[in-house]
Amino acid sequence: MTSETSRPGGGDSARSHTKQRRLKQRRLLPDLTPWRRSRDFRLLWSSGLITRIGSICALVAMPLQAKQLTGSAVAVGAIGGVELVPILIFGLYGGSLADVVDRRKLALLTEIGLGIVSALLLLNALLPRPALWPLYAAAIGASALQGLQQPASQALLPRLVPHDQLTAAMSLISVQWTVSAVVGPAIGGLLVVTLRPSTGYAVDTATFAGSVLLLFRLRPVPPTSHGERPSWPHVRAGFRYAASRPDLIGTYATDMAAMFFALPTAVFPFLADDLHAPWALGLLYTAPSVGNLLATLTSGWTARTHRHGRLVLIGFAVWGAGVAAAGLTDRLWLALIALAVAGAGNFVADLFRVTIWNASVPDELRGRLAGIELLTSTIGPSLGDVRAGLVTAGFGARTALSTGGWPAWCRWPR
């Protein structure tokens, strides 16, 4: 029998088919153009990766330490609740500040402050009898500093990459978030469960030092407008612009609702106990990020779609359905799969939500709009932690997940 490659043109046909298959596979992978072409984007990306891994280790340690000190789900959920007021104040002020000062300098100084907060948490955890109140004080301080920092950090990105590479850059930022969210809980869960919470704070403090060195190497990013000063009228101008954009208001409202009803992180220490698997605390924190990572690694299609608003709704609906399903099962492996599905949905929603924002907001307003975005993206999780803690205290962790995920799932677009 004559082989395919021995017939005239057979080899060319096989090579063409292989080339087309490889091209399709590459189109699914994230676009690396921003990473290859922008040194400053690589520095910002690497700084974010390092600091997020450490911060997630601390975020795993804090609720576990609060649970060890009090045994109260309400006390654990309140850690998220105390973050709300500082974000309300400093998030808006930080957004205004980011439009009138060097964004790189603001990000650098607040990163140093966050490292100091982490070091103080470490000192408290090393005491013979650690106190509870420093956890709340640290949550308040870190929240204030993040309120000042995040608008500047978020508004940096469009100054570092060309406009036509913003979606690709956001996809790579999502890779950063996802890798850190997989590695961070895995490391943090292992360290704080097998050793003690102080190890999570020690890792966090060390990573802040590395992040500061990388941010220091960024080129200055001065404001595009001069002569303005942070003020309430300056902030109010950002609110007026946001109110004129129904698409932005829709993304804010959807994100707040999804996080209020379906944020599961405060529940995880108690869910691990309900599933008779306290050793799996790190896995529960990691599972949504695994789904996020799988979605990120096949995100090449995102640069070729333009139905951003609809995909935000679909993504958050999948998030809610996954969280609800995790609360409806008494099997650990099914809960982990459901949380991974939720994480994939969250990736899609967040990617297109931020793409809408980055692609359409004028640079002179980016800091203030980032402050408003930070406000809305924090109110939902902060109140969501309180809601989850109260429901867990009264009805159990699985009820907190299943009843919270259902309203978020109901936002599926029709």
Side-chain angles (χ1 to χ4, degrees):
M1 180 180 291
T2 304
S3 70
E4 176 68 21
T5 55
S6 67
R7 295 198 302 269
D12 291 342
S13 175
R15 284 192 295 272
S16 176
H17 178 72
T18 300
K19 183 177 180 180
Q20 290 178 0
R21 185 176 68 251
R22 290 176 178 173
L23 179 61
K24 290 180 180 179
Q25 291 172 348
R26 283 198 299 270
R27 292 180 71 186
L28 284 175
L29 298 176
D31 184 356
L32 299 179
T33 303
W35 175 271
R36 290 197 301 264
R37 295 185 180 179
S38 173
R39 167 188 173 272
D40 286 326
F41 176 76
R42 291 194 297 272
L43 288 172
L44 183 67
W45 191 95
S46 301
S47 169
L49 176 66
I50 292 171
T51 193
R52 280 182 60 81
I53 289 175
S55 296
I56 292 171
C57 288
L59 289 175
V60 173
M62 287 180 72
L64 181 63
Q65 187 180 20
K67 176 177 177 287
Q68 291 173 346
L69 292 173
T70 67
S72 168
V74 175
V76 174
I79 293 176
V82 300
E83 296 174 345
L84 185 55
V85 172
I87 284 292
L88 287 171
I89 299 171
F90 290 93
L92 294 176
Y93 181 75
S96 180
L97 198 61
D99 283 335
V100 299
V101 302
D102 187 316
R103 292 169 182 169
R104 171 257 189 187
K105 184 181 293 184
L106 181 56
L108 177 61
L109 291 175
T110 49
E111 192 79 349
I112 293 171
L114 287 165
I116 292 172
V117 170
S118 183
L120 294 175
L121 277 172
L122 173 60
L123 290 176
N124 176 64
L126 291 174
L127 293 174
R129 301 183 69 177
L132 178 64
W133 67 265
L135 300 184
Y136 296 111
I140 292 170
S143 180
L145 288 166
Q146 287 167 353
L148 293 173
Q149 182 189 69
Q150 285 188 222
S153 298
Q154 191 168 344
L156 271 172
L157 184 61
R159 297 282 294 276
L160 303 183
V161 299
H163 182 84
D164 61 350
Q165 294 176 22
L166 281 173
T167 301
M170 277 309 306
S171 183
L172 291 175
I173 292 291
S174 183
V175 171
Q176 173 217 98
W177 292 342
T178 306
V179 170
S180 60
V182 170
V183 174
I187 295 175
L190 178 65
L191 291 177
V192 304
V193 172
T194 59
L195 298 175
R196 52 185 180 176
S198 60
T199 55
Y201 304 137
V203 171
D204 191 28
T205 304
T207 56
F208 272 120
S211 175
V212 165
L213 292 176
L214 291 170
L215 287 176
F216 185 78
R217 297 180 60 198
L218 273 178
R219 63 176 172 82
V221 184
T224 55
S225 59
H226 300 278
E228 295 183 297
R229 300 183 64 181
S231 63
W232 174 243
H234 195 240
V235 172
R236 195 164 57 234
F239 274 103
R240 284 198 299 269
Y241 177 82
S244 71
R245 293 278 306 276
D247 54 338
L248 293 182
I249 296 297
T251 62
Y252 295 156
T254 303
D255 181 53
M256 286 179 63
M259 294 300 103
F260 173 76
F261 287 110
L263 187 69
T265 51
V267 175
F268 284 156
F270 301 92
L271 180 63
D273 289 344
D274 281 359
L275 296 174
H276 308 290
W279 55 269
L281 177 62
L283 294 178
L284 292 172
Y285 278 106
T286 303
S289 302
V290 170
N292 197 309
L293 178 61
L294 293 175
T296 301
L297 294 178
T298 57
S299 64
W301 62 272
T302 60
R304 299 185 295 276
T305 185
H306 304 286
R307 306 195 69 175
H308 297 164
R310 189 173 186 83
L311 285 164
V312 170
L313 293 176
I314 291 173
F316 278 135
V318 172
W319 161 261
V323 171
L328 293 173
T329 181
D330 59 357
R331 297 178 182 272
L332 174 64
W333 66 273
L334 284 176
L336 294 174
I337 291 174
L339 291 170
V341 171
N346 191 52
F347 161 77
V348 172
D350 274 350
L351 175 64
F352 288 106
R353 183 175 59 85
V354 178
T355 296
I356 291 171
W357 186 87
N358 275 329
S360 60
V361 174
D363 187 74
E364 65 272 14
L365 286 165
R366 286 190 190 280
R368 280 164 285 177
L369 269 292
I372 297 171
E373 196 276 337
L374 172 63
L375 185 71
T376 59
S377 66
T378 305
I379 288 174
S382 295
L383 295 180
D385 278 344
V386 175
R387 184 208 70 85
L390 291 173
V391 177
T392 299
F395 303 98
R398 290 168 57 197
T399 300
L401 291 179
S402 59
T403 58
W406 176 256
W409 180 84
C410 290
R411 299 188 71 84
W412 184 275
R414 292 172 171 82

